Every structure is written in C-alpha cells, then in structure tokens.
C-alpha cells in the first residue's frame, strides 16, 4: 500500500484544471480577469495546491471566504490579489495589511468600523442587489459615496452577487437582469458624481455561463473551474467543455464473506439475502462521503465494476457488495466520486443522489483527506 495515497485520498487532475481555465477564459469577455474562488480548500481540491498551480497558469486573482484562508494562501507562497468575500473582525486590520489581502465591505457600518482602525487596507465594496445577504443596499447611493471618501480604505473594487443566475426560468432571468441593471445604474451614478470607478464584478460560475455578454473586470469562478456543474440537470447558455478535476479514492482493506441472513453495519440495516462477499473501505462520512448515500443509494467503482454500498455508511468505514465481481482483492483502488467515464459516479450525480449539490459534496471532502496532484 503506497504511503503517499494511504487509505483514502483526493486526486486532482491538474491538466483538467488547466483545460478549464483555458475554456473559461474563452467564454469571458476581453479584458475580464479570472478570479479563482478557492474558499473551503478550493472546494476540497486543496487551496494552496490548487492556487499554486493556478498561479503557474497565469491566474493572478483569487477569492476566499475568510481571512485565515487568505493568510494560508500567502504562507503557501500564492501571489496576486486575494479577496476575502466574507466578514473579518476589524481588529484584524493589521493582518489584512501585512498579508496584502483585500477585504469585502459587508455593510456601511462595517466600512466605518474598519476605517476607524486607522490602518490603510484595500477593500472591495459589496452591493446588495437582491440576494439580501451581504452588502450595502443598491439604493443607498450616498452611503456608498461616503465609503469612497473614507481615508483608510483603498477602494479597489465593487461587486454584487446574483442569487438565481443558475436558473433559465424567465422570471429568474428577469430578476437577474434587474440585479445587473441596478448595479450598473448605481455605478453610473457614482461616476456621474465624480467618483473614479474601481474594478467591477458580478458573475460567479453560473453568472458567466448564463450571462456571458457582461463585460466586467473579473468573474469569480468557483465550481466551473473544478469542471463540474452544481446539479446534473442544470443547463447553461454557453456550455464550455469543462472537465472534472477531482476524484475521491480509497482502497479495499478487507474482504469478508457474510452468510445469507447475517447483517452488515450499524442498526443491522443490511441483511444479506444471499451468501455475500463484502469489501470494507476505510472511508466514511468523516471524509465527506455523505451518510445519505447509505444502502440503497450509493455505489462505487472497483476494477470496472460499479458495486452498491451495503448497510449504513459509518464515520470512517463503509461496506460494498462485491459478490458479482471477479478478481477484486485487498489493496485495490476504489473510486467513490469523479470516476471518469462513469456518469453515475460523477460528482454532480453523486451529490444529487445524496440530496445536495456538487459544491457541498466537494467542500466537505476537504476536512480530513490528503490531496494528491496528478
Ligand atoms: C462562492 C462564491 C462564488 C463562487 O461561486 P461558484 O458558483 O462556485 O462559481 C462567487 N462569488 C461569491 C460572493 C461567492 O460567495
């Protein structure tokens, strides 16, 4: 058993990542820069590993959710701009400066408090155009104007976030166009009042794929960069040839025979209907493989066989039925998600079977598993 890969691991395909950067850039308008969203361990792909490779591919703008994610990137040697999309305690302003991180202004009060720290920091202003999560309300022009005059805040960008850009439903499209128009109208009013506009950005992955006509300064791409859509049924206006970057792997550590009538796992949830060969895999929901995929929902790939999970998925182990396979042995590599050529084991389909989306499935894998680039 290779020490490098051990019991379970995430494998990332750097060539596919490079390919995705290239095809996404082709969809982007000229002059627009790709801001790679690498929050939550780059959706499970390993933040420093992924961002370092992206650096080598020429990507120079990144987004994270927290200041500690930003600091980890800097300590890992990542160059370029790093925008923190979420809230940071204003008492950490000196770290924003020290690590050269850009902070999102999540509200007007927050801007005042950060400015009040007396430390010069770079920021992007967040504008709320209808998601009603973070940001200064789009109508509050005078508040936004005031922020531009706060002496310790260096306004490098202004952005909004679309809340239903993944939907092609006419109502949602109209709502999204309204968000976009309101954002640009606010920017125009600011400019008319004499303010020099900073970099503007609106789109995340679906914003880019469904509204590719927008000419922004950045697109904040997360899930599409990793080569998957959120859900298998999703359709987009442009359909670049995205290639999945991640696969989730483990190994068979033990094979046992269970007689008809015996149980496997917690709660005696599975009872063998026949004499059954069971393979035990040392991976579980503690590694981000959802417990929701317990018998009868989950399956895994071993030696070209797609075999079902039996019983309940444990925190650190799960069992699969290999009765109908031939030649599976201890040490064999198993793919649990992101199996090339097996749609049923693609990340969006596995996420959907577990009642979630690719984004959640991927980022939950980031907790305990080592990441290996290939
Ligand atoms: C997470 C996030 C993104 C990236 O979203 P994807 O759908 O994964 O591309 C972009 N912008 C903001 C504000 C986010 O929080």
């Amino acid at each position: 058993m290779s020490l490098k890969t051990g019991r379970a691991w995430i494998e990332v395909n750097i060539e596919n990542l490079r390919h995705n950067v290239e095809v996404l850039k082709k969809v982007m308008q000229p002059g627009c820069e790709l801001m790679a969203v690498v929050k939550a361990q780059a959706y499970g792909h390993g933040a420093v590993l992924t961002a370092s490779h992206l650096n080598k591919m020429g990507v120079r703008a990144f987004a994270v959710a927290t200041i500690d994610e930003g600091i980890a990137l800097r300590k890992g040697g990542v160059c370029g701009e790093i925008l923190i999309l979420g809230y940071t305690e204003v008492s950490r302003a000196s770290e924003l400066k020290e690590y050269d991180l850009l902070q999102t202004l999540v509200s007007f009060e927050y801007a005042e408090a950060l400015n009040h720290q007396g430390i010069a920091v770079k920021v992007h202003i967040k504008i709320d155009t209808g998601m009603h999560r973070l940001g200064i309300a789009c109508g509050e022009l005078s508040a936004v104007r005031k922020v531009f005059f706060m002496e310790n805040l260096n306004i490098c960008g202004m952005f909004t976030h679309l809340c239903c850009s993944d939907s092609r439903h006419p109502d949602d499209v109209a709502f999204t166009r309204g968000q976009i128009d309101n954002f640009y109208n606010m920017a125009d009013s600011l400019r008319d009042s004499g303010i020099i506009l900073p970099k503007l950005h609106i789109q995340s992955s679906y914003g880019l794929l469904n509204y590719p006509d927008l000419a922004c300064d950045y697109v904040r791409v997360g899930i599409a960069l990793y080569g998957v859509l959120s859900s298998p049924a999703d359709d987009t206006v442009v359909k670049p040839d995205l290639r999945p970057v991640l696969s989730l792997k483990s190994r068979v550590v033990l094979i046992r025979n269970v007689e008809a009538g015996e149980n496997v796992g917690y709660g005696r949830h599975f009872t063998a209907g026949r004499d059954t060969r069971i393979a035990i895999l040392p991976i579980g929901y503690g590694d981000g493989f959802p417990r929701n995929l317990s018998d009868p929902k989950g399956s895994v790939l071993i030696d070209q066989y797609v075999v079902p999970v039996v019983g309940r998925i444990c925190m650190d182990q799960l069992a699969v039925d290999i009765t109908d396979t031939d030649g599976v042995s201890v040490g064999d590599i198993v793919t649990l998600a992101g199996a090339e050529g097996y749609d049923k084991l693609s990340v969006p389909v596995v996420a959907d079977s577990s009642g979630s989306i690719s984004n959640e499935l991927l980022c939950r894998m980031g907790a305990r598993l080592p990441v290996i680039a290939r």
Side-chain angles (χ1 to χ4, degrees), residues 15 21 104 108 126 154 173 177 196 206 218 280 313 334 338 374:
E15 272 320 301
V21 168
T104 294
F108 179 74
K126 179 118 189 225
N154 176 4
V173 172
R177 288 281 176 204
I196 296 167
Y206 282 89
Y218 298 101
I280 303 295
I313 294 169
V334 181
R374 77 169 157 92

Side-chain angles (χ1 to χ4, degrees), residues 37 39 43 85 126 133 161 204-205 220-223 359:
V37 181
K39 60 192 180 185
Y43 296 46
L85 298 168
K126 179 118 189 225
R133 191 175 64 175
H161 196 44
S204 57
S205 295
R220 306 181 302 270
V221 187
I223 196 71
N359 314 45

Side-chain angles (χ1 to χ4, degrees), residues 265-307:
Y266 284 124
R268 302 196 295 132
H269 182 63
F270 172 79
T271 305
R274 57 175 176 173
D275 290 351
T276 304
R277 269 168 79 71
I278 298 290
I280 303 295
L281 314 180
I283 181 169
Y285 61 79
D287 300 298
F289 194 67
R291 186 173 180 275
N292 262 353
L293 292 174
S294 292
D295 193 357
K297 285 193 194 154
S299 46
V300 306
L301 178 70
I302 311 181
D303 281 354
Q304 319 304 316
Y305 295 103
V306 177
V307 298

Side-chain angles (χ1 to χ4, degrees), residues 81-140:
E81 295 164 3
I82 301 177
L83 172 64
I84 301 167
L85 298 168
Y87 169 85
T88 298
E89 296 88 322
V90 293
S91 60
R92 301 186 70 180
S94 59
E95 289 168 272
L96 292 173
K97 190 177 168 169
E98 181 184 349
Y99 292 99
D100 192 20
L101 304 171
L102 292 135
Q103 175 58 45
T104 294
L105 301 177
V106 301
S107 67
F108 179 74
E109 294 69 25
Y110 181 83
E112 281 186 313
L114 186 60
N115 183 52
H116 191 68
Q117 300 300 301
I119 296 168
V121 288
K122 296 181 188 167
V123 298
H124 283 209
I125 305 174
K126 179 118 189 225
I127 304 296
D128 174 25
T129 52
M131 175 134 182
H132 297 144
R133 191 175 64 175
L134 301 179
I136 303 176
C138 202
E140 309 242 1

Side-chain angles (χ1 to χ4, degrees), residues 47-103:
V48 170
L49 178 113
T50 303
S52 307
H53 280 284
L54 289 167
N55 258 174
K56 286 186 207 143
M57 299 170 198
V59 174
R60 289 185 48 262
F62 298 91
V64 293
T66 70
I67 185 171
D68 293 310
E69 290 179 335
I71 293 172
L73 291 186
R74 286 292 185 231
K75 288 190 169 162
V78 173
C79 306
E81 295 164 3
I82 301 177
L83 172 64
I84 301 167
L85 298 168
Y87 169 85
T88 298
E89 296 88 322
V90 293
S91 60
R92 301 186 70 180
S94 59
E95 289 168 272
L96 292 173
K97 190 177 168 169
E98 181 184 349
Y99 292 99
D100 192 20
L101 304 171
L102 292 135
Q103 175 58 45

Side-chain angles (χ1 to χ4, degrees), residues 112-354:
E112 281 186 313
L114 186 60
N115 183 52
H116 191 68
Q117 300 300 301
I119 296 168
V121 288
K122 296 181 188 167
V123 298
H124 283 209
I125 305 174
K126 179 118 189 225
I127 304 296
D128 174 25
T129 52
M131 175 134 182
H132 297 144
R133 191 175 64 175
L134 301 179
I136 303 176
C138 202
E140 309 242 1
L141 187 66
S142 67
V144 177
R145 260 186 70 80
K146 275 187 206 151
V147 172
F148 276 90
F149 294 100
M150 291 182 179
E151 61 174 332
N152 296 310
L153 305 184
N154 176 4
I155 316 293
C156 300
M158 185 168 83
F159 71 105
T160 191
H161 196 44
L162 304 173
C163 55
C164 55
S165 62
D166 56 327
S167 166
R168 308 272 307 276
H169 190 280
D171 287 351
D172 292 327
V173 172
F175 186 88
T176 303
R177 288 281 176 204
Q179 283 189 280
I180 295 164
D181 290 347
N182 290 340
F183 180 72
Y184 279 130
N185 288 340
M186 159 170 264
D188 286 345
S189 307
L190 287 169
R191 187 173 39 215
D192 292 347
S193 76
I195 282 171
I196 296 167
L197 290 178
K199 301 256 177 98
L200 303 180
H201 47 115
I202 299 177
Q203 303 139 290
S204 57
S205 295
Y206 282 89
L208 174 65
L209 298 178
N210 283 328
Y211 302 86
D213 51 318
L214 293 185
C216 294
D217 292 303
Y218 298 101
V219 289
R220 306 181 302 270
V221 187
I223 196 71
L225 191 60
Y226 306 108
V228 292
L229 294 180
S230 295
S231 301
D234 285 346
D235 191 21
T236 53
V237 169
V238 284
K239 302 173 179 55
D241 162 39
L242 297 171
R243 299 185 184 161
V245 176
L246 175 145
S247 33
L248 176 63
K249 306 224 167 167
S250 183
R251 278 177 200 279
V252 175
V253 288
L254 184 156
I255 293 174
R256 64 166 72 252
N257 295 312
V258 172
E259 284 174 25
E262 287 185 323
N263 314 112
V264 177
Y266 284 124
R268 302 196 295 132
H269 182 63
F270 172 79
T271 305
R274 57 175 176 173
D275 290 351
T276 304
R277 269 168 79 71
I278 298 290
I280 303 295
L281 314 180
I283 181 169
Y285 61 79
D287 300 298
F289 194 67
R291 186 173 180 275
N292 262 353
L293 292 174
S294 292
D295 193 357
K297 285 193 194 154
S299 46
V300 306
L301 178 70
I302 311 181
D303 281 354
Q304 319 304 316
Y305 295 103
V306 177
V307 298
V309 168
V310 293
R312 290 197 185 132
I313 294 169
C314 308
M315 191 183 293
D316 321 301
Q317 326 285 338
L318 63 86
V320 295
D321 181 347
I322 55 164
T323 315
D324 298 327
T325 70
D326 195 20
V328 171
S329 46
V330 168
D332 283 359
I333 292 178
V334 181
T335 307
L336 295 96
E340 262 169 76
Y342 293 84
D343 276 356
K344 201 182 159 191
L345 288 172
S346 71
V347 164
V349 171
V350 172
D352 190 57
S353 321
S354 78

